[in-house]
């Protein structure tokens, strides 16, 4: 699809549900609320849905947002590479043929929607939307600008990561001219920690395991250890980026218990390794520097599988 | 001075010493080595000097750099707001009339040089240089691009802070097109920690003091505490940004011992407060969100002065 075809798609449909991925991040929510605002400004009816709900820390994006009453006619998925990422709470949308349009920047996108716009080279779904809105020409509100900026900033680690393309900086330069406090948002997204969060970081860092001559750092969190340390579970969100902050580490692995015998792996790599390839062997996927998968078993079994896979890399 | 006047200045002089500020950071070194490379590419002789030497962590900027032999004819200061920041090791340059040209982005610049180009609204000295080089039209090397990108990125916290102007993003978008690994540099500048550094962070964070209903967080480090914790002193560099990462904190203060009875204050503020104004009452200065000063006395005396100043703010 071209941008003008997407523009026509927006014109021709109405009563949109916009789906965002489970464990929502700044990019999926920025794209969801950015697109919702855009469609509503066009006079369309549109709602945003997330199987896990909308986290408080992103409330600046959806402040004042009210779901509208209507009979859904069209479903758009944003920043969702695979229908499984819609989450079990919205399982009805995982059936084949339920998604009309997918706008995404994951190279691993499964092309599950009836129509897709996927740019695997783009920094963020919000960057695609920004470029789309710019080409379509309709003015955007400050709130939409804030949503898109936040998605681009969060998915690039504030323009720090390799996935930052020049267009991401150009979009930021243009979006900053709208009225929203980008530095306050960045502080909120990247810097601010509660005392509980600081404790969680210390706990995780003190228990980090180093493998492969310190080239791999691994965190493992079970329900039990999280309970024992007396820190709220929510404080452990996003810790997957911690292992890669250690000097010399090329592969950062975070293992977190999801169910009694299911563990979620979050893998982060430097330019030396392909995180997506690492996760594919366990049926997962994602980006080249950030990917994930789920592994069944006890923590010991999962750890052994992961360590074996790390050893095979011969770092 | 206009950019074209600076261009003429570069043409008309030769045998340059480029001064960078003590406790060098990415911006002063990026500007120093970026300008040095530019002048040498013009066929001029030029050296960079720093009273404290060039730290290893910035070696990617000066790899292969060799000082040239010549009799100095012209002195340029980059990113130096006040001649005192040249440092005591280069005290001869602090005499009046010794600096021919100053290029700086500090609003507190003292206009101590014979000629000055000061843009207090610019994100970085390196951003000024980038815009200057672009206007002058001479092509720049990949190394110069790397130096300028690094300065802009480090002084803006990787485009995160309020001092990030749209032009900083535009410059980044253009500089990224040169051949240098910006993501590797960002990881090195912002993310990577040694195990010793991690220990230093934990030590500092565990001993942080909260004042004014948790709106101010304060770190105090003496030679003694640094020795007792068994962590290398160098690992404590840059910790001044830590207090402001705590939720609700608007004023972050880091007190570090410099000499037996001299303490250096590094003050960081959110949009609620003026760091430069806070430091001015102790004879210091800097930017609106990041400033510094020195206070004489024992730690107890210094702490009492600082706490009194915090209380006066009625946060």
């Amino acid at each position: 699809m071209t941008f003008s075809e997407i523009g026509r798609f927006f014109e021709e449909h109405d009563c949109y549900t916009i789906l965002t991925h489970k464990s929502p991040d700044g990019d999926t929510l920025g794209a969801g609320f950015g697109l919702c605002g855009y469609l509503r400004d066009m006079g369309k009816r549109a709602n945003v849905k997330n199987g896990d709900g909308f986290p408080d820390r992103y409330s600046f994006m959806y402040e004042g947002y009210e779901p509208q009453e209507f009979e859904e006619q069209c479903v758009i998925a944003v920043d969702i590479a695979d229908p499984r990422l819609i989450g079990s709470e919205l399982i009805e949308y995982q059936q084949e043929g339920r998604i009309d349009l997918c706008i995404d920047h994951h190279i691993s996108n499964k092309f599950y929607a009836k129509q897709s716009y996927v740019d695997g080279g783009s920094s963020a779904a919000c960057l695609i939307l920004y470029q789309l809105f710019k080409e379509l020409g309709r003015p955007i509100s400050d709130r939409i600008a804030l949503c898109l900026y936040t998605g681009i900033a969060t998915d690039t680690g504030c323009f720090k990561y390799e996935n930052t393309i020049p267009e991401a900086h150009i979009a930021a330069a243009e979006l900053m001219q709208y009225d929203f406090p980008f530095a306050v948002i960045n502080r909120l997204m990247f810097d601010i920690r509660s005392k509980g969060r600081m404790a969680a970081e210390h706990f995780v860092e003190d228990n980090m395991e180093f493998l492969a001559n310190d080239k791999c750092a691994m965190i493992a969190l079970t329900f039990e250890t999280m309970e024992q340390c007396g820190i709220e579970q929510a404080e452990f969100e996003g810790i997957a980026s911690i292992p890669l902050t250690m000097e010399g580490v090329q592969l950062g692995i975070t293992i977190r218990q999801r169910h009694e015998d299911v563990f979620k792996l979050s893998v982060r790599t430097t330019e030396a390794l392909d995180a997506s390839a690492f996760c594919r062997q366990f049926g997962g996927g994602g980006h080249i520097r950030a990917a994930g998968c789920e592994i069944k078993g006890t923590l010991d079994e999962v750890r052994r599988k992961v360590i074996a896979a790390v050893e095979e890399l011969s770092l």
Side-chain angles (χ1 to χ4, degrees), chain A:
Chain A
M1 284 183 102
T2 63
F3 280 164
S4 56
E5 281 165 354
I6 301 178
R8 254 194 322 275
F9 182 101
F10 290 164
E11 294 284 359
E12 286 166 1
H13 294 78
D14 197 355
C15 298
Y16 293 92
T17 291
I18 302 164
L19 297 179
T20 51
H21 66 69
K22 66 180 178 180
S23 302
D25 60 14
D27 192 30
T28 202
L29 294 177
F33 287 104
L35 178 56
C36 184
Y38 188 86
L39 291 170
R40 288 185 179 184
D41 286 350
M42 282 177 73
K44 305 287 182 176
R45 283 159 293 181
N47 285 332
V48 184
K49 284 193 182 171
N50 189 283
D52 295 330
F54 306 127
D56 283 351
R57 73 185 295 255
Y58 299 109
S59 62
F60 61 91
M61 287 204 259
Y62 60 80
E63 225 182 338
Y65 164 83
E66 293 286 348
Q68 296 175 332
E69 290 284 334
F70 57 76
E71 200 175 317
E72 171 188 297
Q73 292 171 22
C74 184
V75 181
I76 304 180
V78 288
D79 198 39
I80 301 179
D82 186 315
R84 286 179 301 172
L85 300 173
I86 295 168
S88 51
E89 293 76 6
L90 295 170
I91 198 151
E92 67 271 23
Y93 290 105
Q94 296 191 29
Q95 292 162 27
E96 220 184 297
R98 284 291 276 125
I99 314 293
D100 297 290
L101 173 62
C102 170
I103 298 174
D104 187 26
H105 73 119
H106 291 86
I107 202 158
S108 58
N109 189 285
K110 296 272 192 271
F111 290 92
Y112 55 88
K114 286 184 199 152
Q115 294 188 81
S116 298
Y117 185 93
V118 177
D119 178 359
S122 189
S123 305
C126 282
L127 178 55
I128 297 173
L129 283 185
Y130 176 68
Q131 292 170 323
L132 169 67
F133 295 165
K134 193 174 167 183
E135 183 163 319
L136 296 181
R138 168 182 293 274
I140 61 171
S141 65
D142 293 333
R143 172 65 68 92
I144 294 172
L146 170 158
C147 288
L148 300 181
Y149 176 91
T150 303
I152 298 168
T154 52
D155 251 30
T156 56
C158 215
F159 311 95
K160 193 165 59 182
Y161 302 146
E162 207 183 353
N163 70 344
T164 309
I165 58 176
E167 290 78 3
H169 279 294
I170 302 287
E174 292 172 1
L175 286 167
M176 278 173 71
Q177 322 233 9
Y178 289 83
D179 186 23
F180 64 92
F182 74 93
V184 175
I185 290 169
N186 288 335
R187 199 167 113 75
L188 198 64
M189 293 291 99
F190 300 108
D191 287 346
I192 292 181
R193 305 174 295 172
S194 64
K195 288 178 185 173
R197 171 62 181 201
M198 188 172 80
E201 290 176 4
H202 290 196
F203 178 79
V204 159
E205 289 167 1
D206 290 338
N207 291 288
M208 200 151 33
E209 187 176 355
F210 290 87
L211 304 166
N213 296 319
D214 285 5
K215 284 182 180 157
C216 173
M218 189 162 76
I219 291 168
L221 282 177
T222 61
F223 293 146
E224 202 188 338
T225 53
M226 277 190 276
E227 219 167 273
Q228 279 172 355
C229 69
I231 301 161
E232 295 246 2
Q233 218 186 296
E235 304 290 7
F236 289 97
E237 281 309 318
I239 52 157
S241 59
I242 289 179
L244 221 58
T245 66
M246 302 310 301
E247 195 169 33
V249 169
Q250 299 170 354
L251 174 61
I253 300 174
T254 302
I255 305 175
R256 279 190 68 170
Q257 193 163 21
R258 282 282 175 228
H259 305 286
E260 190 49 42
D261 63 341
V262 179
F263 288 82
K264 167 85 195 293
L265 239 71
S266 298
V267 175
R268 300 290 181 271
T269 55
T270 66
E271 58 293 342
L273 288 167
D274 183 342
S276 186
F278 187 87
C279 290
R280 252 190 323 267
Q281 63 189 306
F282 299 110
H287 299 287
I288 188 162
R289 301 282 170 260
C293 58
E294 288 193 346
I295 306 183
K296 286 194 177 177
T298 65
L299 176 61
D300 254 10
E301 288 162 0
V302 172
R303 269 191 68 246
R304 247 177 291 139
K305 282 182 194 172
V306 172
I307 291 172
V310 171
E311 276 166 3
E312 248 179 46
L313 292 172
S314 319
L315 293 178

